[in-house]
């Protein structure tokens, strides 16, 4: 390198596109031109296509499987059953309780029984249809309450049907109150309904191992499960993230990963698997349906005295992430309120319904519908404003949760509610004069079901709480490798992690962090794969926090090395140097060297495994510091309801959320919009209809998600109250807006109609009272 | 499997001819035989709109058309929207206004929005919502998509 000389000069502006700005996403060009390679776009010459045979029964025993005719089909290269799994025929996120291919017991409709590889996707599907399975069909166990309390119910797994019972006990169990409200609530089974169905490409490698290109949320947990199933060490099972078409929790569990690998290893050829939309409904876990009983006791002036709750979450046939869902629903079961006396019992159970696991806001979403419905009921009983009853009990920094954990950073519950309340209201249609009013804006829309008669407007409020990151003592970490070198005369940073970009914009945030920490403009995000340590899951609103924390820490180490190197050459103490916009700056604010000169031909690389502060398990009374951070969002919903037909139009949906630090303000608002829309879906339309353990609507024709006409414009207010424990003070963003959106909309419908709505999604007959 | 037929059509201004099964969908034909993987398949039953393309100037669900039905047509996919290496104003706007997250719906959204702006160069927000209401997005909550289309419309008006 050249000898650095001390030059007096203007330091210049910060590098653009750092933390707190909204630079454009690096994958944006590829995504708008159609060049971004989603997992479904992967293609190799000579590859085979995989297809899956699934059980048509929710509960059965397999007597025999005859693959003779399937194997004989022209173009078929492999037909595999449970006998062909080389390792353990079990997988699962927390408990390995789910067969890769069922060989004995069938526990849900859609359970995989056999897989086929063929040279044409249609050949593979036809061969699947030629497999003959002799089932002994059983009566399915579909009632989660029966699964908990009926000792005569058949045990679906060793150890019984209660996967987890978590009690939370705090204060006086016999506390009494002036005013008591009871409620029973139900949440239907919601689907993540990402737009890009499950797909991936498994490629057998020369070393006998496998390379899997896959759309997933957590490469390393997939790898861990695959190693067990394939009986191979981690260095033989390599995963690369393929383009992900949305996730929302549904890609946290394995779907076709093991199947594609088994077929590729068996045939020695690349195997692609791609689910149809229908198969996707059977191929991933859903949001847990919930049955909840709540009792709230309060003083006459609206102060909560006690909350008692029983929450039953239907985990379906296999464990997936049910234990963590139970923990969230139980520990957050009374919501963002101060309650001295709490008794919550939350159960996660096995049934023969479809397996349930992660979906945005898990556990917290279900509980919020219960506790917020109760807060409205309490407001009614006290003849009090619904916002008033909430703010009187609002959690705040320094308050104690029902677990005994003290909230040790901002908890602006009252402020968030006040802010949504203060936002401007939309104009009300004048029912007596609808001339000129666009009838398409009324409930029923283009169906022209009303000209305004029978339409009532309602306003509803809700607030939710969510834990950010993994809880209960889980070793939650992420790994980042950051490299800095000179390329083409400029300093270029490269960030390499295994953290999954699923659309949320993690790649943008990683670039921003590196720009801010290293003062370089050019930051390359390397494709995510298992060649570097785990990034942990893209879930629990944790990636910006944890992988962001890892990238920041790795950048800090790289920066320290650059400064040490500069100090050596300049003969100055490193402690007196800092890095600013590609320059080394001394304590007296003089530019003493350029980073490119300090680096010369050298490459500086640092790899850091970063952890958030530890959390702790809960004791037998559900007490303990289980969570690392809490996040809050409040919604106000305005609805028009045709009370004669039970049709709802959400007119406006407003949100205020504290994000600690808006790392990328535009992306934050995008998360709030999208999360709120999914909450709207749960409020008024989205449900997987399951009866007798059978999914009745596995299509987008029958499973409805909000269209652009269902989702109204939003006013969004973002607070930035820093959490001193988190990188940059940030707070996880993705999940909170999904939590309070649903109960706010239902509250607005109640306000408009007076109907006692106890189940989501709200259907027209709930409003009209007709059967 | 039955015999194959030859389908000849123009995609993004270039003529292609390939053999395919008569029952193959246009979407599969474009993706698998011609390599236009920007045509996305979200549901394969005509609801989500991710596979929306332009066929002879009108939008169509390529998952609900057979390749043989496209014989002799002029097709535009998302890959044909940019010209001379420059992004179309709609593409620029979707990128700039965060009109996408996972991006899976984007090609179909762009096709629908492109047709809308040809018919109505100065749409209101409500008209934009109606114009692209046949396309689902699961990530964005749609607001930034409306903003994107509005911005692109303004840009297109100012340059033509």
């Amino acid at each position: 390198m050249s000898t650095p000389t001390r030059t007096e000069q203007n330091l210049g502006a910060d590098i653009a596109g750092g933390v707190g700005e909204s630079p454009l996403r690096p994958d944006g060009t590829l995504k708008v031109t159609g060049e971004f390679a989603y997992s479904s776009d992967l293609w190799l010459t000579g590859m085979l296509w995989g297809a899956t045979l699934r059980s048509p029964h929710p509960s059965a025993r397999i007597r025999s499987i005859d693959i003779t005719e399937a194997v004989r089909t022209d173009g078929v290269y492999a037909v595999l059953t449970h006998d062909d799994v080389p390792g353990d025929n079990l997988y699962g996120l927390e408990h390995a309780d789910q067969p890769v291919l069922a060989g004995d017991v069938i526990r849900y409709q859609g359970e995989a029984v056999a897989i086929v590889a063929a040279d044409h996707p249609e050949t593979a599907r036809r061969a699947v249809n030629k497999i003959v399975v002799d089932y002994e069909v059983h009566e399915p166990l579909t009632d989660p309450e029966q699964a908990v309390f009926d000792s005569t119910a058949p045990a679906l797994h060793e150890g019984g049907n209660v996967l987890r019972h978590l009690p939370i006990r705090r204060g006086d169990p016999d506390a009494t109150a002036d005013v008591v409200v009871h409620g029973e609530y139900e949440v239907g089974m919601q689907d993540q309904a990402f737009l890009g169905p499950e797909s991936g490409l498994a490629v057998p490698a020369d070393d006998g191992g496998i390379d899997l290109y896959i759309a997933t949320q957590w490469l390393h947990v997939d790898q861990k499960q695959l190693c067990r199933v394939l009986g191979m060490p981690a260095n033989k099972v390599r995963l690369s993230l393929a383009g992900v078409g949305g996730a929302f929790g549904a890609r946290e569990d394995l779907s076709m990963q093991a199947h594609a690998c088994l077929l590729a290893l068996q045939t020695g050829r690349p195997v692609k698997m791609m689910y149809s939309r229908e198969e996707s409904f059977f191929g991933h876990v859903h949001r847990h349906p919930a049955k909840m009983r709540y009792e709230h006791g309060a003083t006459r002036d609206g102060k909560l005295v006690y909350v008692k709750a029983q929450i039953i979450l239907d985990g379906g046939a296999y464990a997936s992430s049910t234990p963590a869902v139970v923990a969230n629903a139980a520990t957050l079961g009374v919501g963002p309120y101060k309650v001295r006396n709490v008794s919550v019992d939350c159960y996660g159970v096995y049934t023969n319904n479809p397996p349930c696991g992660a979906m945005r806001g898990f556990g917290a979403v279900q509980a919020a519908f219960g506790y917020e419905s109760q807060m409205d009921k309490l407001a009614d009983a006290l003849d009090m404003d619904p916002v008033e009853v909430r703010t009187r009990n609002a959690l705040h920094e320094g308050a104690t949760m029902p677990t005994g954990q003290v909230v040790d950073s901002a908890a602006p519950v009252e402020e968030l509610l006040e802010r949504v309340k203060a936002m401007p209201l939309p104009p009300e249609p004048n029912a007596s004069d609808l001339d000129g009013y666009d009838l398409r804006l009324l409930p029923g829309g283009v169906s022209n079901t009303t000209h305004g008669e029978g339409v009532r407007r309602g306003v509803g409020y809700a607030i939710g709480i969510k834990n950010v990151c993994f809880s209960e003592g889980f070793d939650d970490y992420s790994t980042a490798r950051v490299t800095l070198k000179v390329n083409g005369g400029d300093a270029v940073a490269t960030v390499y992690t295994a953290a999954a970009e699923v659309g949320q914009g993690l790649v943008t945030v990683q670039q921003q962090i590196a720009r801010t920490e290293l003062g370089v403009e050019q930051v390359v995000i390397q494709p995510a794969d298992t060649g570097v340590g785990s990034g942990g899951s893209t879930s629990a609103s944790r990636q910006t926090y944890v992988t962001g924390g890892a990238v920041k820490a790795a950048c800090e180490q790289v920066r320290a090395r650059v400064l040490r190197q500069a100090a050596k050459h300049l003969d100055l103490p490193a402690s007196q140097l800092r890095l600013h916009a590609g320059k080394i700056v001394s304590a007296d604010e003089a530019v003493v060297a350029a980073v490119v000169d300090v680096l010369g031909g050298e490459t500086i690389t640092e790899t850091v495994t970063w952890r958030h502060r530890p959390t702790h398990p809960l004791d037998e009374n559900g007490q303990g510091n289980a969570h690392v951070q809490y996040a809050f969002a409040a919604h106000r919903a305005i609805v028009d309801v045709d009370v004669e037909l039970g049709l709802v139009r959400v007119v406006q949906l407003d949100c205020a959320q504290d994000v600690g630090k808006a790392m990328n303000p535009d992306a934050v608002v995008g998360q709030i919009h999208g999360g709120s829309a999914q909450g709207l879906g749960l409020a008024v339309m989205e449900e997987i209809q399951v009866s007798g353990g059978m999914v009745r609507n596995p299509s987008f024709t029958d499973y409805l998600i909000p269209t652009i006409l269902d989702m109204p414009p939003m006013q969004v207010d973002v607070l930035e109250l820093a959490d001193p424990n988190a990188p940059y003070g940030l707070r996880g963003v993705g999940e909170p807006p999904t939590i309070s959106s649903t109960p706010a909309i239902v509250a607005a419908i109640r306000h408009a109609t007076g109907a006692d709505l106890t189940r989501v999604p709200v259907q027209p007959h709930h409003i009209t009272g007709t059967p | 499997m039955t015999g194959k037929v030859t389908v000849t059509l123009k995609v993004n201004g270039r003529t292609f001819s390939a053999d395919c099964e008569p029952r193959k969908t246009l979407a599969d034909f474009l993706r698998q035989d011609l390599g236009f993987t920007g045509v996305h398949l979200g549901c394969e039953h005509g609801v989500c709109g991710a596979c929306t393309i332009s066929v002879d100037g009108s939008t169509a669900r390529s998952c609900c058309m057979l390749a043989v039905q496209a014989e002799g047509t002029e097709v535009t996919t998302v890959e044909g929207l940019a010209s001379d290496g420059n992004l179309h104003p709609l593409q620029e706007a979707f990128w700039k206004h965060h009109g996408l997250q996972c991006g899976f719906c984007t090609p179909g959204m762009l096709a629908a929005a492109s047709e809308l702006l040809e018919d109505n160069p100065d749409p209101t927000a409500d008209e934009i919502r109606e114009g692209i209401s046949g396309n689902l997005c699961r990530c964005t909550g749609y607001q930034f998509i409306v903003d994107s289309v509005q911005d692109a419309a303004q840009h297109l008006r100012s340059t033509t």
Side-chain angles (χ1 to χ4, degrees):
Chain A
M1 70 182 258
S2 59
T3 311
T5 51
R6 182 178 160 134
T7 336
E8 297 284 349
Q9 64 181 79
N10 188 337
L11 287 182
D14 283 338
I15 290 293
V19 167
E21 297 176 48
S22 296
L24 301 188
R25 40 187 316 144
D27 54 9
T29 320
L30 293 176
K31 284 182 173 177
V32 296
T33 54
E35 289 166 47
F36 187 79
Y38 293 89
S39 53
S40 47
D41 301 332
L42 302 175
W43 194 276
L44 276 179
T45 308
M47 72 181 188
L48 302 174
W49 295 79
T52 313
L53 174 68
R54 296 177 182 277
S55 165
H57 310 293
S59 178
R61 190 166 286 273
I62 295 173
R63 289 200 195 98
S64 65
I65 305 172
D66 181 358
I67 62 169
T68 319
E69 286 303 310
V71 173
R72 278 192 198 140
T73 308
D74 277 351
V76 167
Y77 284 69
V79 181
L80 305 181
T81 67
H82 62 102
D83 284 333
D84 303 303
V85 177
D88 223 342
N89 185 24
L90 285 173
Y91 73 97
L93 270 180
E94 298 180 39
H95 300 285
D97 65 350
Q98 182 161 0
V100 174
L101 292 168
D104 180 16
V105 181
I106 294 292
R107 295 186 179 88
Y108 75 99
Q109 180 211 16
E111 183 152 6
V113 175
I115 45 178
V116 172
D119 58 7
H120 191 287
E122 199 169 309
T123 308
R125 286 195 294 270
R126 287 185 179 193
V128 157
N129 291 337
K130 291 182 184 170
I131 299 170
V132 182
V133 184
D134 183 11
Y135 294 103
E136 177 188 297
V137 178
H138 298 163
E139 189 65 28
L141 173 63
T142 59
D143 179 357
E145 280 198 88
Q146 196 192 351
V148 183
F149 298 113
D150 183 353
S151 57
T152 66
L156 303 186
H157 289 267
E158 269 181 49
N161 295 328
V162 177
L163 182 52
R164 187 174 188 188
H165 167 218
L166 179 56
I168 309 281
R169 303 277 183 268
R170 185 155 192 87
D172 177 5
D174 302 316
T176 56
D178 303 334
V179 181
V180 176
V181 290
H182 294 90
E184 293 191 17
Y185 306 97
E186 276 186 35
V187 175
M189 186 183 288
Q190 189 179 19
D191 189 66
Q192 300 85 348
F194 48 57
L195 279 200
E198 291 86 347
S199 50
L201 178 66
V203 186
D206 292 341
D207 66 353
I210 190 95
D211 291 288
L212 177 66
Y213 301 85
I214 180 74
T216 180
Q217 291 176 230
W218 190 355
L219 288 165
H220 282 80
V221 89
D222 285 6
Q223 182 192 42
K224 188 174 153 193
Q225 294 172 88
L226 289 173
C227 286
R228 179 179 171 148
V229 169
L230 302 174
M232 280 186 190
N235 63 359
K236 291 276 179 71
V237 182
R238 298 164 294 256
L239 279 76
S240 301
L241 187 69
V244 183
F248 316 117
R251 298 189 210 266
E252 202 172 33
D253 291 80
L254 295 185
S255 57
M256 41 58 64
Q257 285 91 327
H259 298 159
C261 290
L262 289 168
L263 289 169
L265 289 165
Q266 175 71 28
T267 60
R269 298 189 42 180
V271 173
K272 175 169 175 162
M273 293 188 90
M274 193 169 116
Y275 289 175
S276 66
R277 178 54 55 182
E278 181 180 4
E279 188 168 19
S280 178
F281 274 95
F282 295 102
H284 64 246
V285 298
H286 313 291
R287 187 188 295 294
H288 288 69
K291 289 189 174 188
M292 304 177 284
R293 289 191 180 83
Y294 270 91
E295 178 181 332
H296 280 55
T299 61
R300 277 188 219 292
D301 60 356
K303 285 272 177 66
L304 286 169
V305 176
Y306 70 85
V307 175
K308 294 178 186 174
Q310 180 196 70
I311 301 170
I312 298 174
L313 298 165
D314 185 354
Y318 294 102
S320 181
S321 49
T322 294
V325 182
V326 167
N328 290 1
T331 59
L332 310 173
V334 308
Y337 303 112
K338 289 183 293 181
V339 195
R340 287 192 308 280
N341 308 300
V342 174
S343 175
V344 175
D345 285 281
C346 185
Y347 302 87
V349 301
Y350 287 122
T351 64
N352 289 120
N353 291 321
C356 290
M359 183 176 173
R360 199 173 194 166
F362 72 42
V365 162
Q366 292 92 335
F369 178 59
Y371 62 71
E372 286 300 82
S373 297
Q374 283 287 99
M375 293 306 276
D376 285 333
K377 207 173 234 192
L378 186 60
D380 274 349
L382 293 162
D383 197 20
M384 193 178 275
D385 178 81
V387 171
E388 177 71 24
V389 78
R390 286 172 168 84
T391 56
R392 283 197 186 186
N393 295 286
L395 199 70
H396 50 74
E397 187 171 355
T400 304
M401 294 289 291
T403 55
Q405 182 165 19
V406 175
V407 179
D408 64 357
S409 71
V413 174
E414 183 172 352
E415 186 176 355
L416 292 170
L417 284 162
E418 299 293 355
R419 281 184 179 234
V420 285
K421 193 176 181 184
M423 289 178 185
L425 284 160
E428 270 195 64
N430 184 349
S432 61
D433 179 21
L434 280 162
D435 280 351
Y437 192 79
D438 189 342
L439 297 178
R440 291 171 299 185
L441 299 179
L442 290 168
V446 290
S447 302
N448 193 24
T449 49
T450 176
H451 287 195
E453 66 280 6
V455 174
R456 308 270 182 278
R457 177 154 290 188
V459 181
Y461 294 88
I463 183 153
I465 178 171
K466 180 71 189 32
N467 56 316
V468 174
C469 301
F470 281 25
S471 299
E472 294 187 274
F474 187 89
D475 183 21
D476 194 14
Y477 65 89
S478 181
T479 315
R481 179 170 300 158
V482 173
T483 299
L484 186 65
K485 65 175 179 181
V486 178
N487 194 344
D490 294 316
V492 179
T494 302
V495 178
Y496 179 24
T497 75
E501 164 68 53
V502 299
Q504 81 280 41
L506 180 66
V507 287
T508 323
V509 165
Q510 288 177 307
Q511 282 188 324
Q512 293 178 253
I513 291 171
R515 287 193 194 110
T516 291
E517 297 303 327
L518 296 174
V520 299
E521 195 175 341
Q522 293 184 51
V523 181
V524 177
I525 304 299
Q526 224 170 294
D529 59 38
T530 49
V532 66
S534 175
S537 180
T538 295
S539 65
S541 307
R542 67 176 283 288
Q543 280 300 17
T544 299
Y545 192 129
V546 189
T547 293
V551 172
K552 179 172 186 274
C555 287
E556 284 165 353
Q557 291 199 5
V558 167
R559 190 177 63 206
R561 275 181 58 185
V562 172
L563 293 177
R564 279 203 301 276
Q565 210 154 306
K568 208 165 97 189
H569 289 290
L570 296 163
D571 201 19
L572 284 167
S575 59
Q576 289 184 17
L577 298 177
R578 66 183 182 90
L579 224 159
H580 177 89
K583 300 165 193 110
I584 310 286
V585 180
S586 66
D588 52 356
E589 295 298 292
V591 173
V592 289
V595 170
V596 287
D597 293 330
V598 174
L599 284 169
E602 202 188 334
T603 300
I604 295 182
T605 300
E606 288 290 343
T607 306
V608 171
T609 299
W610 189 86
R611 290 171 165 79
H612 58 69
R613 59 186 173 145
T615 58
H616 302 280
L618 295 161
D619 69 14
E620 68 278 9
N621 289 316
Q623 300 294 298
N625 293 334
H627 299 312
V628 68
Q629 185 185 59
Y630 296 103
F632 306 88
H635 277 88
R636 180 185 67 187
I638 293 104
V639 302
D640 282 343
V641 185
D642 181 337
V643 295
E644 292 162 5
L645 295 174
L647 300 175
V648 176
R649 180 168 177 274
V650 183
V651 175
Q652 188 167 304
L653 188 58
D654 302 318
C655 181
Q657 182 173 342
D658 172 31
V659 302
K661 165 78 184 172
M663 299 289 285
N664 181 318
D666 284 355
V668 163
V669 175
Q671 286 296 305
I672 293 173
H673 288 158
S676 300
Q678 291 179 4
L680 180 148
L682 179 59
V684 295
M685 64 183 77
E686 289 187 37
E687 183 175 8
I688 297 182
Q689 303 282 343
V690 182
S691 62
M694 311 279 274
V695 174
R696 307 293 175 171
N697 58 341
S699 75
F700 276 173
T701 319
D702 298 320
Y703 183 90
L704 304 180
I705 66 173
T707 71
I708 197 167
L709 296 175
D710 300 307
M711 183 60 198
M714 290 189 72
Q715 300 176 87
V716 174
D717 203 348
V718 174
L719 266 69
E720 296 183 82
L721 305 175
D723 176 351
N725 301 298
Y728 305 105
L730 73 85
R731 215 173 274 286
V733 170
E735 294 170 293
T738 306
I739 296 166
S740 42
S741 161
T742 305
I745 291 166
V746 178
I749 303 171
R750 287 192 197 104
H751 182 229
T753 62
D756 181 24
L757 304 170
T758 58
R759 189 180 197 285
V760 284
V762 174
Q763 293 172 4
H765 67 89
H766 298 147
I767 294 169
T768 58
T770 47
Chain B
M1 232 150 273
T2 50
K4 294 190 172 186
V5 291
T6 304
V7 174
T8 305
L9 78 177
K10 229 179 212 183
V11 184
N12 303 331
R14 244 182 90 195
T15 301
F16 291 87
S17 200
D19 295 341
C20 75
E21 295 108 13
R23 54 187 295 173
K24 192 163 207 168
T25 66
L26 178 55
D28 280 346
F29 183 66
L30 289 168
R31 286 175 55 80
Q32 297 173 5
D33 298 82
L34 306 186
F36 293 101
T37 52
V39 178
H40 291 164
L41 289 170
C43 71
E44 295 178 271
H45 52 263
V47 178
C48 78
C51 69
T52 306
I53 58 171
S54 168
V55 179
D56 285 340
S58 297
T59 52
R61 305 280 209 230
S62 59
C63 77
C64 292
M65 265 182 87
L66 297 173
V68 292
Q69 291 177 285
E71 171 69 29
T73 61
E74 287 197 25
V75 163
T76 307
T77 70
V78 70
E79 288 94 339
L81 213 48
S83 55
D84 306 328
N86 296 316
L87 293 181
H88 185 277
L90 272 167
Q91 292 174 310
E92 283 279 2
F94 268 68
W95 187 19
K96 192 169 125 197
H97 292 277
H98 292 249
L100 62 92
Q101 288 179 30
C102 88
F104 202 83
C105 73
T106 308
M109 284 285 179
L110 291 169
S114 179
E115 183 178 56
L116 167 72
L117 295 188
E118 274 164 32
D119 296 347
N120 180 359
D122 190 8
T124 64
D126 281 340
E127 285 167 345
I128 291 170
R129 285 175 178 271
E130 196 177 331
I132 58 176
S133 60
N135 292 62
L136 296 176
C137 169
R138 188 58 159 168
C139 297
T140 65
Y142 302 106
Q143 183 59 52
F144 285 165
I145 291 177
V146 176
D147 295 351
S148 303
V149 176
Q150 242 164 353
D151 183 59
Q154 195 190 3
H155 182 90
L156 282 164
R157 287 197 308 277
S158 67
T159 53
T160 51

